[in-house]
Amino acid sequence: MTIGLVTPDSSHEFYGYLARAIENVAFDAGYTTLLGNAMENLDRETSYVRTLIDRQVDGLIVAPVPGSTVVSAELARETIPFVILDRGSDDEHAVQVTVDNEGGAYAATEHLLGHGRKRVACIAGPEIAHTIHARVSGWRRCLADHGVDPGAMWLTYGDFRLENGYHAATRILASDEPPDAIFATSDEQALGAIRAAVDRGIRVPEALAVMGFDGIHRGPYSVPSLSTVQQPLEKLAEEAFGRLKSRIDGGSAAEVAPRVFATELVLRESCGCPGDP
């Protein structure tokens, strides 16, 4: 009656709340959750997976770090049930639970364009991450569909943290033709971008509109309040644990098809919409 959960970095607010949601769902079903925090490190992720398997947990939920081969290298040769959560995997046999990352990014970019913005930059997470590839693809496709050349827009890759958003936005906003909008692939990056704009005397959203992605709890309380692409945390947690429990109980008879949840635009002040907590 124990499961293992390995996340990329539980100090990232999104993963912290996602881990808590999974723990709550598992607890209600009578399961204890053991958490491993990979800290976006491949070796550390592999070590946690091996350790949890050695501890004979009944199943594993893994949100892989970018570039992870943990599914094929470790889990594929084990009989332990597992589910890949949030970040995708190239393993077609893995049970995956995620969101429509490309569709969410497309909707966010389209909303910024709908506010009359002409130069929409993208501050992205790690280039090798499946989720980031999808979100950048959504941003690119939306720009192209609206007659804007994505290749002429600013695109920078880094990690998901506040600091990366701040430093990336500082560089972008110092250019000769700075953007009038930024789509960030995480809310923490977006909050960092807002701070960079404030430090340069650029008003948000008057001179720069900002949209994030995730729907972290701090978003409504930033100044201005953060517009974002909301991920359904509770649904992700319930589906991931439910899929894992089915595999624990039913083995190969359990459903394998990926589950992809829709995202939702939450519109607040940072994009130019009225908003409140």
Side-chain angles (χ1 to χ4, degrees):
M1 302 298 291
T2 301
I3 65 167
L5 170 63
V6 182
T7 68
D9 185 354
S10 61
S11 68
H12 188 293
E13 185 173 328
F14 171 75
Y15 286 109
Y17 278 104
L18 183 59
R20 188 179 73 175
I22 292 169
E23 183 182 14
N24 288 341
V25 173
F27 182 83
D28 288 344
Y31 281 77
T32 298
T33 302
L34 301 181
L35 174 65
N37 187 1
M39 294 298 293
E40 301 285 8
N41 181 280
L42 293 171
D43 292 337
R44 182 164 170 150
E45 178 185 74
T46 301
S47 178
Y48 268 120
V49 167
R50 289 174 176 168
T51 298
L52 290 166
I53 292 172
D54 290 343
R55 293 288 183 92
Q56 297 184 328
V57 295
D58 297 303
L60 282 171
I61 298 174
V62 181
V65 304
S68 173
T69 58
V70 69
V71 175
S72 57
E74 299 297 325
L75 296 179
R77 64 171 178 243
E78 301 287 342
T79 58
I80 186 170
F82 67 93
V83 170
I84 301 301
L85 176 63
D86 181 60
R87 297 180 177 181
S89 166
D90 291 326
D91 189 341
E92 62 183 13
H93 302 295
V95 177
Q96 301 189 46
V97 177
T98 186
V99 300
D100 181 5
N101 288 287
E102 183 170 349
Y106 189 106
T109 307
E110 189 169 53
H111 184 78
L112 292 170
L113 294 171
H115 274 287
R117 308 294 171 157
K118 304 296 185 183
R119 303 182 305 279
V120 183
C122 179
I123 297 177
E127 187 171 5
I128 59 175
H130 286 76
T131 51
I132 297 310
H133 177 77
R135 292 174 195 180
V136 170
S137 293
W139 168 77
R140 283 193 174 117
R141 183 164 60 87
C142 181
L143 291 178
D145 286 351
H146 289 78
V148 179
D149 178 11
M153 297 297 103
W154 301 260
L155 170 61
T156 178
Y157 292 96
D159 60 40
F160 293 100
R161 291 186 168 277
L162 284 161
E163 295 85 353
N164 176 59
Y166 179 85
H167 293 301
T170 297
R171 293 192 302 271
I172 291 170
L173 295 172
S175 62
D176 292 336
E177 291 187 275
D180 56 12
I182 290 175
F183 165 61
T185 60
S186 79
D187 283 349
E188 293 206 12
Q189 291 172 321
L191 293 175
I194 290 174
R195 179 53 193 258
V198 170
D199 285 354
R200 294 188 63 84
I202 298 171
R203 293 179 61 83
V204 177
E206 291 84 356
L208 179 73
V210 178
M211 289 278 294
F213 200 115
D214 283 337
I216 64 175
H217 286 56
R218 277 181 294 165
Y221 302 99
S222 67
V223 180
S225 56
L226 181 63
S227 298
T228 187
V229 180
Q230 178 77 53
Q231 296 200 59
L233 280 175
E234 288 75 16
K235 290 181 179 179
L236 287 169
E238 291 170 1
E239 183 72 11
F241 178 76
R243 288 291 188 94
L244 184 64
K245 183 68 163 55
S246 293
R247 293 182 72 79
I248 291 170
D249 294 341
S252 59
E255 185 181 359
V256 178
R259 178 63 192 273
V260 180
F261 286 96
T263 57
E264 178 185 359
L265 285 185
V266 178
L267 305 176
R268 303 190 181 105
E269 296 167 336
S270 69
C271 69
C273 291
D276 48 62

